[in-house]
Amino acid sequence: VTVKGDPAAIERVLDKIRAKAGGDLGFLGSDSSDDLVAVGPTAAYRQHLLAGGDLGSDDTFRGVVPNAGNAGAVIYVNVDALEPAITKVAAGDKETLDNLTPLRAAGISSW
């Protein structure tokens, strides 16, 4: 996710979300540059977004959010990238892990 605005204000909101969620949720890590804050699972990907990278060239994204360029809003979750955090939260719940393993990503778009 990228959010444009006052980085300090955005970080305060993220801190509230992190506190409510509890625990170490790596997918809510964030980095900022000027008036843009990138939120995502890895520092490398957040830096890619801040440098002007986008999801439009990602095959997984395009597979679950076709025609994203025409959408007014998009929600995208790369489940594969969240696998370490999901495994930690599932805490040995084999059924949950077995159900999520085949899922690569999920996406929703609206016009």
Side-chain angles (χ1 to χ4, degrees):
V1 174
T2 56
V3 182
K4 187 173 184 175
D6 175 12
I10 295 166
E11 285 296 335
R12 285 192 296 273
V13 171
L14 287 171
D15 286 343
K16 289 179 184 180
I17 294 169
R18 291 174 186 125
K20 288 285 184 184
D24 178 25
L25 302 176
F27 62 90
L28 288 177
S30 61
D31 292 299
S32 64
S33 177
D34 298 323
D35 64 346
L36 191 63
V37 176
V39 181
T42 67
Y45 188 70
R46 293 189 302 264
Q47 291 303 316
H48 173 73
L49 290 176
L50 291 172
D54 61 34
L55 287 170
S57 60
D58 184 277
D59 289 337
T60 303
F61 176 79
R62 288 194 321 261
V64 296
V65 188
N67 303 310
N70 298 324
V74 171
I75 298 173
Y76 169 71
V77 177
N78 183 331
V79 177
D80 282 347
L82 296 175
E83 189 172 336
I86 292 169
T87 300
K88 185 175 182 179
V89 170
D93 181 350
K94 184 172 175 1
E95 183 178 0
T96 297
L97 295 173
D98 288 346
N99 286 329
L100 288 174
T101 297
L103 184 62
R104 290 183 61 200
I108 301 170
S109 60
S110 67
W111 285 264

